[in-house]
Amino acid sequence: MIRGALMIALAALLWATTGIVAKSLFTGTELQPLALGFLRLVVALPFFWLLMQRERRRQGRTVRWRRGRLLPLAALGLFQAFYQGSYLLAVDLTGAGIATLIALCLPPVLVALLAAPLLGEKPGLLTVLALFAAIAGTAMLVLSDMDTSGTLRLSGLLMALLAAMVYTGFTLTSRYSSTDTPVFTTAFVCFLTAALILLPVVVLSGGFDGLRSLSLRHGLMVVYIGVVPTCIGYVLFFSGMKTTPATLSSIIVTLEPLFVALLAWLILGEVLGPVGIAGALILTVAVVVASRYGGPSAAGTVSGGD
């Protein structure tokens, strides 16, 4: 179990590098967030296709595509496209640390709360308290960001909240859809659908114009995002899940936003401040409580990292 837990922790660390590399690209080039989201999916697709073929050979069966199976996967792809765009826009408009903390820490709490009206699961007292703690932690992060940046970066904060809501919808769909589809087959179809949705948006918005500003180093950074945190991160995560209890896995995954905040401080010079650090810790505790007492774990969903 220790080896599995370490693999999940390493996956969380790799996912955390996504926001850091993305922020570096946005500040050093003219690449737009939507274009980066599309390129990330395109780079990852061949690797997920290979993983899907390997998965099918191991299981010795072929997936039969039916409408009832494809519709949930298409819905996941739609959520994935919106998440890629909103999260990377939030990173660009604010910072990697605060965007990731809001986008990834709020969804587990929202999922635990929304499970009541949508799925008939009654939230317990701890779940409700976790929601209020998450709101308080988020407010503290916003106040800290205003203090350190000298302004209210409202558009970026709203994008981070949108990413959190989209990820919540993604998680609910992933947890309770009855697709019975293998993991990497789900990931491939989800990412393919998301890429097809983002393509016309990027073209119409002129997102590909920023490709001319990419040097070889920047191109390698794009490839890194598509391969290392996206593909290798998920291979490590699902490998670790085989020997790690779901509850422990969901708690370990909450390390990702904290890893991002730490890396953003060390590499990008982003400072949360005392209020922001306290808010991040409160938000993390709320996620742990929601993951532990808020119903079935959502740790196994296919998010594409952060």
Side-chain angles (χ1 to χ4, degrees), residues 34-301:
L34 288 177
L36 178 58
F38 171 76
L39 292 174
R40 176 189 189 183
L41 297 171
V42 169
V43 170
L45 276 173
F47 295 91
F48 276 116
W49 184 84
L50 292 174
L51 290 169
M52 178 181 68
Q53 298 303 319
R54 179 170 173 262
E55 183 178 58
R56 289 182 177 184
R57 287 194 297 269
R58 284 190 170 185
Q59 295 183 356
R61 64 187 180 95
T62 302
V63 176
R64 295 182 179 180
W65 301 110
R66 300 187 300 270
R67 181 178 297 180
R69 187 189 297 271
L70 282 174
L71 287 179
L73 294 180
L76 290 177
L78 179 64
F79 280 123
Q80 182 66 235
F82 275 96
Y83 178 75
Q84 290 292 327
S86 56
Y87 169 68
L88 291 175
L89 274 171
V91 170
D92 185 27
L93 295 171
T94 55
I98 188 172
T100 306
L101 282 164
I102 294 175
L104 292 185
C105 285
L106 282 181
V109 183
L110 294 176
V111 166
L113 188 72
L114 291 175
L118 296 179
L119 305 167
E121 296 179 4
K122 184 179 179 180
L125 177 61
L126 284 176
T127 300
V128 176
L129 291 176
L131 174 66
F132 284 109
I135 294 173
T138 302
M140 293 171 71
L141 283 172
V142 173
L143 291 174
S144 176
D145 184 62
M146 290 175 59
D147 183 54
T148 55
S149 65
T151 182
L152 175 61
R153 297 187 285 187
L154 184 60
S155 57
L157 295 171
L158 290 177
M159 275 295 130
L161 289 172
L162 175 61
M165 290 187 287
V166 171
Y167 193 83
T168 299
F170 181 97
T171 302
L172 288 169
T173 303
S174 180
R175 275 175 53 181
Y176 293 98
S177 62
S178 56
T179 57
D180 190 30
T181 307
V183 168
F184 290 115
T185 300
T186 300
F188 176 77
V189 176
C190 174
F191 276 42
L192 177 61
T193 305
L196 292 175
I197 293 172
L198 281 178
L199 178 58
V201 178
V202 176
V203 171
L204 293 175
S205 64
F208 288 126
D209 295 343
L211 293 178
R212 292 192 294 265
S213 66
L214 298 183
S215 64
L216 175 60
R217 179 173 67 88
H218 295 135
L220 291 175
M221 291 167 71
V222 173
V223 173
Y224 170 88
I225 290 177
V227 175
V228 179
T230 309
C231 297
I232 297 177
Y234 274 107
V235 170
L236 287 170
F237 175 75
F238 287 117
S239 298
M241 278 284 290
K242 294 177 181 178
T243 58
T244 309
T247 300
L248 178 59
S249 300
S250 65
I251 292 174
I252 295 174
V253 167
T254 62
L255 292 173
E256 180 188 351
L258 296 181
F259 282 150
V260 175
L262 179 61
L263 292 174
W265 173 57
L266 292 174
I267 299 174
L268 302 177
E270 295 181 6
V271 181
L272 284 177
V275 175
I277 293 173
L281 292 176
I282 291 174
L283 196 53
T284 302
V285 171
V287 173
V288 172
V289 172
S291 300
R292 179 66 180 85
Y293 300 101
S297 170
T301 59

Side-chain angles (χ1 to χ4, degrees), residues 6-40:
L6 289 175
M7 293 176 74
I8 294 174
L10 180 57
L13 178 59
L14 293 181
W15 291 338
T17 62
T18 301
I20 306 302
V21 178
K23 187 66 175 181
S24 299
L25 281 168
F26 297 148
T27 55
T29 73
E30 297 177 5
L31 186 64
Q32 295 182 15
L34 288 177
L36 178 58
F38 171 76
L39 292 174
R40 176 189 189 183

